[in-house]
Amino acid sequence: MENTQQIVERVAELSRLSFSEHEKNIFEVQFGKILHYIQTIENYDLAAVEPLTHIVTNQSSQRDDVPAECLTVDEALANAPKRNETFFKVPKVLQK
Amino acid sequence: MKGLYATAVLRKFALLCHAKGRIFYEFTSKFTMIENYEAIIGLEVHAQLLTATKAFCRCSTSYSLSPNAHTCPVCLGLPGALPVLNSKVVDYAVKMGLATHCSIREYSVFSRKNYFYADLPKGYQISQYEDPICHHGYIDIEVGEESATKRIGITRIHMEEDSGKSIHDVDIDTLVDLNRSGVPLIEIVSGPDMRTAREAYQYLNQIRQIVMYLGICDGNLEEGSLRCDANISVRKKGATEFGTKIEIKNLNSFRNVEKAIEYEIKRQVEAVESGQILMQETRMWDAGTHQTKSMRSKEFAHDYRYFPEPDLAGVSVSEAMIAQIRQSMPELPLARKQRFVSEYGLPWYDAGILTETQSLGTYFEQCCQSLGEQTKERYKLVSNWIMTEVLRYLSEKGIGIEQFPVSPSHIAELVELFAAELISSKIAKDIFPDVIGGESPKSVVERKGLLQISDESIILAVVEKILAEQFENVAKYREGKKNLFGHFVSSTLKELGGKANPRIVTKLLQERLQ
Ligand SMILES: [Zn+2]
């Protein structure tokens, strides 16, 4: 089993985020608390309990397949740090 | 068996040729090597659903020239936006499930598939992981000659959303268009049941025909509405354990599917034979160099950390809903092909062409229903006429049968005119442009006076006239120049303006020349 520090580093890597040692230490404490809480639940015998995916038991409401107004292109791009014509522009995605 | 026999023959031949050089021997030994292995192939097919709106928001899915013209807070992944499921996505997934003999889950949930990429604005794709909506089905595919089929398992079908599109080669940076973000897909996962590239091709073709018949996807591989990845491993024949599974991506045409799988099987067999240990990896088919290439192996690539999507409650499918969808199902392509053979007596080949699209098969059936005389001979004539003249016209004009201007009853009328020998098949072809123009075949024939002359006394008079005129040729013919017969036929036909019944002309000429 990975220790908490390894878990923090792994999640950071999967999220494409990098943290300083100081930040990692803070997250380690926070992650530790959450994992400890889950650990507590795992100590109970829950074999007979159905997994609960949602608090609401009724099925999700669905809608008809009818289009509505979209945002304008300028609204959609309003928060984009960079744009090219009407594209979002992001740092070059690494390609081999 | 055939393969084994071929190997034995080649091996023998190779030994004989040994003195002549080693090249042939090497070729044979490679051939033998491949023959000792079998490939295990499974396909994952993504089909873009033909809904008007996206899966979880009401943005249009229609094509837009302008990037980012069809977006909203949901498909842009803006904080606080909540997805609402499009009911048609469920309908279409169930439809596909029923068409592929799947069990339909009464209750299934969506999950988040987490990964970070610029064209996935939320940082996760809404998909289904455990307990997909459809599972454990099968389809039959065509294998080998004629009507032989093989059953291929369908492991699961689940609903998910598409990502946006990244463009890497226009700007120095990467450009992102989110028009496609959130467009609904179903992923259809086959069992590891295919053994050859040909079977994989047939499977994909069958899936494509089914989604098109159901009207849930346009089936276009080149434009990406249908996408295919393959999982391939090889093992020695007779072995029960699977070899290392390798995933091939970027199979964006039917030709590529077959070529890439063939290449990959050969590559894996050669690697195993030379003692290499294959690593599980993802490879990309390069259609330019005709090779599969390893994609940079990402150590954590498959750590998606799925968990149930908290923003969407589960999806229930009632028995009543399944029954209703079942009722709306069309006859499926393979069943229809088999019926065309049994009901209309068509050759397997004809039935395949006529059922390639649903609308062409329907057109054929409408023509047949319009026939006065319902016989298998007439059905075959209708089939011939559609497969040659009609399909030629459609491909010349680049249109589908839906846009074909001739009514089925006019095609039936045309077929009956020449079946009853009222016109020759040549005349039938000649008047086709007028029929396309909207005139009925009978009316064209009457207006232009093209009724075929089958009256023996009229034809006989002309035959005698021709033979009298060409008495020198007749003498030569009697001396043995039998190939002059064709000349007599064509002279007679010409004299009668091409309208004489060729069968009767031939018969009368034979009688006179005996
Ligand atoms: Zn949207």
Side-chain angles (χ1 to χ4, degrees):
Chain A
M1 171 101 188
E2 297 165 301
N3 63 36
T4 312
Q5 195 197 335
Q6 283 170 328
I7 292 173
V8 169
E9 282 172 359
R10 181 71 188 284
V11 171
E13 185 171 7
L14 286 171
S15 317
R16 306 281 183 271
L17 296 170
S18 59
F19 296 113
S20 66
E21 283 308 307
H22 175 66
E23 286 170 317
K24 279 185 200 166
N25 289 336
I26 296 172
F27 287 135
E28 201 180 324
V29 176
Q30 293 174 344
F31 270 52
K33 281 184 187 159
I34 296 167
L35 292 170
H36 177 73
Y37 176 67
I38 300 294
Q39 206 70 53
T40 312
I41 297 175
E42 279 186 350
N43 288 335
Y44 292 97
D45 178 14
L46 300 174
V49 181
E50 276 281 303
L52 178 74
T53 55
H54 296 84
I55 300 299
V56 285
T57 47
N58 57 327
Q59 57 161 314
S60 64
S61 56
Q62 296 178 11
R63 61 170 175 84
D64 292 338
D65 186 30
V66 179
E69 278 288 294
C70 298
L71 295 177
T72 65
V73 172
D74 283 324
E75 282 168 339
L77 289 158
N79 296 322
K82 277 179 159 183
R83 58 188 275 186
N84 176 338
E85 304 280 328
T86 66
F87 284 106
F88 289 96
K89 184 161 154 154
V90 300
K92 186 90 186 163
V93 173
L94 267 185
Q95 288 217 299
K96 69 167 175 121
Chain B
M1 279 310 284
K2 237 181 203 168
L4 280 178
Y5 176 71
T7 314
V9 171
L10 275 171
R11 202 182 281 148
K12 209 168 199 179
F13 186 51
L15 286 173
L16 290 172
C17 296
H18 192 54
K20 302 227 167 188
R22 289 196 38 187
I23 296 164
F24 191 82
Y25 181 75
E26 273 170 12
F27 164 73
T28 322
S29 73
K30 238 173 207 176
F31 184 71
T32 312
M33 195 172 84
I34 287 232
E35 286 283 296
N36 290 338
Y37 285 80
E38 70 173 354
I40 314 292
I41 305 162
L43 295 188
E44 290 170 14
V45 178
H46 284 90
Q48 206 177 75
L49 299 180
L50 281 173
T51 53
T53 64
K54 295 186 178 180
F56 303 110
C57 62
R58 289 175 65 189
C59 290
S60 167
T61 54
S62 65
Y63 178 76
S64 167
L65 274 177
S66 167
N68 296 304
H70 295 162
T71 66
C72 73
V74 173
C75 56
L76 287 172
L78 299 187
L82 284 174
V84 182
L85 177 60
N86 180 347
S87 60
K88 209 157 215 180
V89 175
V90 182
D91 267 30
Y92 284 1
V94 171
K95 238 182 192 173
M96 189 59 185
L98 292 176
T100 54
H101 310 94
C102 282
S103 304
I104 311 295
R105 223 175 282 275
E106 206 182 310
Y107 182 78
S108 66
V109 299
F110 283 103
S111 287
R112 291 186 178 182
K113 179 181 180 177
N114 300 280
Y115 67 94
F116 285 82
Y117 203 77
D119 57 24
L120 188 75
K122 294 193 299 294
Y124 57 85
Q125 176 191 27
I126 303 177
S127 180
Q128 292 194 295
Y129 186 51
E130 287 166 328
D131 307 337
I133 186 160
C134 312
H135 61 102
H136 291 98
Y138 65 85
I139 63 167
D140 290 328
I141 63 165
E142 291 177 40
V143 284
E145 313 269 303
E146 287 294 292
S147 51
T149 59
K150 175 177 172 175
R151 190 152 287 184
I152 307 292
I154 302 289
T155 307
R156 57 182 286 157
I157 300 172
H158 69 252
M159 305 175 277
E160 61 184 30
E161 59 174 341
D162 210 342
S163 63
K165 216 188 248 171
S166 297
I167 291 130
H168 303 288
D169 51 6
V170 171
D171 194 300
I172 186 161
D173 290 321
T174 294
L175 302 180
V176 177
D177 172 12
L178 296 178
N179 281 341
R180 210 183 59 187
S181 164
V183 166
L185 307 172
I186 50 173
E187 180 173 338
I188 305 145
V189 181
S190 83
D193 299 342
M194 287 156 271
R195 295 291 172 269
T196 63
R198 192 68 205 163
E199 286 180 13
Y201 174 96
Q202 291 290 3
Y203 169 84
L204 184 59
N205 190 37
Q206 195 57 225
I207 291 286
R208 178 171 178 269
Q209 282 199 342
I210 292 173
V211 295
M212 289 171 71
Y213 266 58
L214 295 176
I216 64 173
C217 171
D218 70 22
N220 194 325
L221 265 103
E222 279 75 12
E223 282 171 22
S225 359
L226 205 63
R227 289 166 233 161
C228 178
D229 302 328
N231 288 307
I232 304 169
S233 65
V234 298
R235 66 180 174 196
K236 274 243 163 74
K237 277 190 182 152
T240 48
E241 275 182 29
F242 290 125
T244 308
K245 188 171 86 179
I246 290 177
E247 189 182 11
I248 313 291
K249 289 193 175 285
N250 203 26
L251 305 175
N252 56 358
S253 76
F254 273 99
R255 209 143 39 102
N256 283 344
V257 169
E258 212 171 358
K259 273 190 188 161
I261 294 176
E262 248 159 35
Y263 172 88
E264 184 59 21
I265 293 171
K266 190 164 161 276
R267 187 190 73 83
Q268 288 185 22
V269 168
E270 283 171 14
V272 171
E273 276 287 306
S274 66
Q276 275 181 54
I277 293 172
L278 290 168
M279 301 286 281
Q280 195 162 337
E281 63 172 341
T282 301
R283 297 176 71 87
M284 190 87 148
W285 170 247
D286 184 334
T289 61
H290 294 242
Q291 286 179 339
T292 61
K293 286 181 181 153
S294 185
M295 289 167 77
R296 223 157 55 104
S297 92
K298 288 181 232 142
E299 208 180 331
F300 303 111
H302 291 295
D303 195 350
Y304 294 124
R305 309 231 162 178
Y306 285 95
F307 63 86
E309 162 63 285
D311 288 346
L312 287 161
V315 181
S316 297
V317 181
S318 65
E319 281 297 323
M321 183 179 160
I322 293 175
Q324 198 188 350
I325 293 175
R326 207 184 281 281
Q327 267 194 334
S328 73
M329 299 277 284
E331 181 181 28
L332 294 171
L334 189 58
R336 191 179 222 192
K337 187 169 173 179
Q338 287 159 342
R339 181 171 64 81
F340 275 22
V341 171
S342 61
E343 190 176 325
Y344 296 102
L346 295 182
W348 186 250
Y349 175 81
D350 290 35
I353 297 214
L354 294 174
T355 55
E356 210 158 275
T357 65
Q358 196 176 31
S359 39
L360 189 64
T362 304
Y363 190 85
F364 167 76
E365 292 204 281
Q366 286 168 346
C367 292
C368 290
Q369 278 156 18
S370 303
L371 287 171
E373 191 184 305
Q374 299 280 327
T375 60
K376 290 190 170 169
E377 288 71 32
R378 296 275 157 110
Y379 300 147
K380 176 65 177 126
L381 289 176
V382 171
S383 164
N384 289 349
W385 192 263
I386 291 179
M387 291 200 307
T388 54
E389 301 309 311
V390 175
L391 286 185
R392 183 182 305 131
Y393 179 83
L394 296 182
S395 85
E396 274 169 17
K397 296 282 167 190
I399 56 172
I401 190 78
E402 298 86 350
Q403 288 94 44
F404 186 54
V406 182
S407 71
S409 61
H410 279 181
I411 294 291
E413 197 177 297
L414 196 58
V415 164
E416 296 207 296
L417 283 174
F418 74 79
E421 297 194 331
L422 292 170
I423 56 173
S424 68
S425 63
K426 184 185 173 299
I427 295 282
K429 282 174 195 167
D430 288 348
I431 66 166
F432 197 41
D434 296 288
V435 177
I436 287 169
E439 197 173 349
S440 93
K442 270 185 191 154
S443 136
V444 182
V445 168
E446 276 165 24
R447 178 167 61 79
K448 295 192 170 177
L450 296 172
L451 270 190
Q452 178 158 277
I453 301 164
S454 293
D455 185 327
E456 294 204 7
S457 60
I458 297 173
I459 297 175
L460 186 59
V462 176
V463 162
E464 283 178 340
K465 176 168 170 270
I466 294 289
L467 294 184
E469 277 169 14
Q470 303 194 13
F471 62 91
E472 286 173 351
N473 279 337
V474 172
K476 284 182 193 159
Y477 176 84
R478 294 221 155 96
E479 282 160 19
K481 283 197 82 179
K482 296 294 177 198
N483 56 358
L484 280 167
F485 190 77
H487 177 70
F488 297 135
V489 173
S490 59
S491 305
T492 312
L493 287 174
K494 196 175 168 196
E495 183 74 21
L496 284 158
K499 290 185 287 180
N501 183 330
R503 190 178 54 80
I504 295 173
V505 170
T506 306
K507 189 191 89 170
L508 293 177
L509 275 167
Q510 275 168 345
E511 284 171 9
R512 290 285 132 178
L513 288 165
Q514 248 170 23

